[in-house]
Amino acid sequence: HTVQPATASQDAAFDLKLAGIGFPTMPTAVGTAYGKECCDSPQEAAAYHKNQRAKIVEVGEDCGTAPPSQHVKGLSCSLPHVCHPAPTASSASAVEWKGLRFVGARVEK
């Protein structure tokens, strides 16, 4: 897996791209995808690829229980495992969120 960009400037918009394998993609038809029930309508099938989500937490925090970092704008979670928004672009090998920002400062001592 790779993450782009490797670094981002504070207060400057950046696009987060995660590359790897096995990301959910749009099924070709209503019915099943990846061996399980997927979609009840063509509209739901067309939106299937947007099931992927991202969460950025502070260094050393557990992603499953920690809140999202207050220093990242553009990604949020209403519950620890319910994050949004959906990616702006996706494929079987990558997902991307556009227009994120790092804000504020974190000083380590």
Side-chain angles (χ1 to χ4, degrees), residues 2-15:
T2 60
V3 177
Q4 294 176 331
T7 61
S9 299
Q10 185 173 332
D11 293 325
F14 69 96
D15 300 337

PDB file of all heavy atoms in Angstrom, residues 2-15:
ATOM      1  N   THR A   2       0.431   2.283  -0.635  1.00  0.00           N
ATOM      2  CA  THR A   2       1.134   3.555  -0.623  1.00  0.00           C
ATOM      3  C   THR A   2       0.146   4.672  -0.305  1.00  0.00           C
ATOM      4  O   THR A   2      -1.046   4.551  -0.528  1.00  0.00           O
ATOM      5  CB  THR A   2       1.809   3.862  -1.974  1.00  0.00           C
ATOM      6  OG1 THR A   2       0.810   3.904  -2.987  1.00  0.00           O
ATOM      7  CG2 THR A   2       2.848   2.813  -2.328  1.00  0.00           C
ATOM      8  N   VAL A   3       0.682   5.750   0.227  1.00  0.00           N
ATOM      9  CA  VAL A   3      -0.109   6.928   0.557  1.00  0.00           C
ATOM     10  C   VAL A   3       0.535   8.117  -0.132  1.00  0.00           C
ATOM     11  O   VAL A   3       1.748   8.295  -0.063  1.00  0.00           O
ATOM     12  CB  VAL A   3      -0.137   7.169   2.080  1.00  0.00           C
ATOM     13  CG1 VAL A   3      -0.901   8.436   2.413  1.00  0.00           C
ATOM     14  CG2 VAL A   3      -0.733   5.974   2.804  1.00  0.00           C
ATOM     15  N   GLN A   4      -0.270   8.909  -0.811  1.00  0.00           N
ATOM     16  CA  GLN A   4       0.227  10.130  -1.440  1.00  0.00           C
ATOM     17  C   GLN A   4      -0.633  11.290  -0.971  1.00  0.00           C
ATOM     18  O   GLN A   4      -1.861  11.129  -0.866  1.00  0.00           O
ATOM     19  CB  GLN A   4       0.137  10.037  -2.962  1.00  0.00           C
ATOM     20  CG  GLN A   4       1.042   9.006  -3.553  1.00  0.00           C
ATOM     21  CD  GLN A   4       0.818   8.895  -5.054  1.00  0.00           C
ATOM     22  OE1 GLN A   4      -0.267   9.143  -5.556  1.00  0.00           O
ATOM     23  NE2 GLN A   4       1.850   8.523  -5.760  1.00  0.00           N
ATOM     24  N   PRO A   5      -0.090  12.433  -0.664  1.00  0.00           N
ATOM     25  CA  PRO A   5       1.327  12.773  -0.682  1.00  0.00           C
ATOM     26  C   PRO A   5       2.027  12.245   0.573  1.00  0.00           C
ATOM     27  O   PRO A   5       1.385  11.977   1.584  1.00  0.00           O
ATOM     28  CB  PRO A   5       1.320  14.302  -0.686  1.00  0.00           C
ATOM     29  CG  PRO A   5       0.094  14.657   0.084  1.00  0.00           C
ATOM     30  CD  PRO A   5      -0.913  13.582  -0.262  1.00  0.00           C
ATOM     31  N   ALA A   6       3.351  12.121   0.504  1.00  0.00           N
ATOM     32  CA  ALA A   6       4.118  11.675   1.665  1.00  0.00           C
ATOM     33  C   ALA A   6       4.111  12.753   2.747  1.00  0.00           C
ATOM     34  O   ALA A   6       4.149  12.462   3.939  1.00  0.00           O
ATOM     35  CB  ALA A   6       5.551  11.333   1.261  1.00  0.00           C
ATOM     36  N   THR A   7       4.068  14.020   2.344  1.00  0.00           N
ATOM     37  CA  THR A   7       3.970  15.146   3.276  1.00  0.00           C
ATOM     38  C   THR A   7       2.970  16.152   2.723  1.00  0.00           C
ATOM     39  O   THR A   7       2.704  16.181   1.525  1.00  0.00           O
ATOM     40  CB  THR A   7       5.332  15.852   3.471  1.00  0.00           C
ATOM     41  OG1 THR A   7       5.765  16.371   2.219  1.00  0.00           O
ATOM     42  CG2 THR A   7       6.377  14.897   4.025  1.00  0.00           C
ATOM     43  N   ALA A   8       2.452  16.984   3.605  1.00  0.00           N
ATOM     44  CA  ALA A   8       1.529  18.037   3.196  1.00  0.00           C
ATOM     45  C   ALA A   8       1.814  19.268   4.035  1.00  0.00           C
ATOM     46  O   ALA A   8       2.161  19.162   5.208  1.00  0.00           O
ATOM     47  CB  ALA A   8       0.079  17.597   3.370  1.00  0.00           C
ATOM     48  N   SER A   9       1.670  20.436   3.447  1.00  0.00           N
ATOM     49  CA  SER A   9       1.922  21.694   4.152  1.00  0.00           C
ATOM     50  C   SER A   9       0.693  22.108   4.957  1.00  0.00           C
ATOM     51  O   SER A   9      -0.441  21.883   4.537  1.00  0.00           O
ATOM     52  CB  SER A   9       2.258  22.803   3.154  1.00  0.00           C
ATOM     53  OG  SER A   9       3.424  22.466   2.441  1.00  0.00           O
ATOM     54  N   GLN A  10       0.955  22.771   6.072  1.00  0.00           N
ATOM     55  CA  GLN A  10      -0.133  23.257   6.911  1.00  0.00           C
ATOM     56  C   GLN A  10      -0.950  24.299   6.167  1.00  0.00           C
ATOM     57  O   GLN A  10      -0.409  25.162   5.491  1.00  0.00           O
ATOM     58  CB  GLN A  10       0.434  23.855   8.190  1.00  0.00           C
ATOM     59  CG  GLN A  10      -0.632  24.281   9.164  1.00  0.00           C
ATOM     60  CD  GLN A  10      -0.047  24.709  10.488  1.00  0.00           C
ATOM     61  OE1 GLN A  10       1.003  24.247  10.875  1.00  0.00           O
ATOM     62  NE2 GLN A  10      -0.736  25.595  11.167  1.00  0.00           N
ATOM     63  N   ASP A  11      -2.263  24.202   6.283  1.00  0.00           N
ATOM     64  CA  ASP A  11      -3.234  25.125   5.694  1.00  0.00           C
ATOM     65  C   ASP A  11      -3.286  25.110   4.167  1.00  0.00           C
ATOM     66  O   ASP A  11      -4.030  25.876   3.578  1.00  0.00           O
ATOM     67  CB  ASP A  11      -3.025  26.558   6.196  1.00  0.00           C
ATOM     68  CG  ASP A  11      -3.333  26.685   7.675  1.00  0.00           C
ATOM     69  OD1 ASP A  11      -4.270  25.995   8.143  1.00  0.00           O
ATOM     70  OD2 ASP A  11      -2.658  27.457   8.358  1.00  0.00           O
ATOM     71  N   ALA A  12      -2.526  24.253   3.518  1.00  0.00           N
ATOM     72  CA  ALA A  12      -2.590  24.130   2.059  1.00  0.00           C
ATOM     73  C   ALA A  12      -3.434  22.904   1.719  1.00  0.00           C
ATOM     74  O   ALA A  12      -3.260  21.839   2.311  1.00  0.00           O
ATOM     75  CB  ALA A  12      -1.196  23.991   1.466  1.00  0.00           C
ATOM     76  N   ALA A  13      -4.354  23.059   0.788  1.00  0.00           N
ATOM     77  CA  ALA A  13      -5.194  21.924   0.376  1.00  0.00           C
ATOM     78  C   ALA A  13      -4.330  20.838  -0.257  1.00  0.00           C
ATOM     79  O   ALA A  13      -3.360  21.126  -0.951  1.00  0.00           O
ATOM     80  CB  ALA A  13      -6.263  22.394  -0.603  1.00  0.00           C
ATOM     81  N   PHE A  14      -4.681  19.587   0.011  1.00  0.00           N
ATOM     82  CA  PHE A  14      -3.989  18.458  -0.615  1.00  0.00           C
ATOM     83  C   PHE A  14      -5.005  17.366  -0.887  1.00  0.00           C
ATOM     84  O   PHE A  14      -6.091  17.352  -0.330  1.00  0.00           O
ATOM     85  CB  PHE A  14      -2.843  17.939   0.271  1.00  0.00           C
ATOM     86  CG  PHE A  14      -3.296  17.262   1.537  1.00  0.00           C
ATOM     87  CD1 PHE A  14      -3.428  15.876   1.595  1.00  0.00           C
ATOM     88  CD2 PHE A  14      -3.580  17.997   2.672  1.00  0.00           C
ATOM     89  CE1 PHE A  14      -3.847  15.249   2.756  1.00  0.00           C
ATOM     90  CE2 PHE A  14      -3.999  17.380   3.850  1.00  0.00           C
ATOM     91  CZ  PHE A  14      -4.126  16.007   3.894  1.00  0.00           C
ATOM     92  N   ASP A  15      -4.639  16.474  -1.788  1.00  0.00           N
ATOM     93  CA  ASP A  15      -5.466  15.319  -2.127  1.00  0.00           C
ATOM     94  C   ASP A  15      -4.817  14.082  -1.530  1.00  0.00           C
ATOM     95  O   ASP A  15      -3.615  13.875  -1.694  1.00  0.00           O
ATOM     96  CB  ASP A  15      -5.591  15.162  -3.643  1.00  0.00           C
ATOM     97  CG  ASP A  15      -6.227  16.370  -4.293  1.00  0.00           C
ATOM     98  OD1 ASP A  15      -6.945  17.121  -3.599  1.00  0.00           O
ATOM     99  OD2 ASP A  15      -5.998  16.579  -5.498  1.00  0.00           O
TER     100      ASP A  15
END
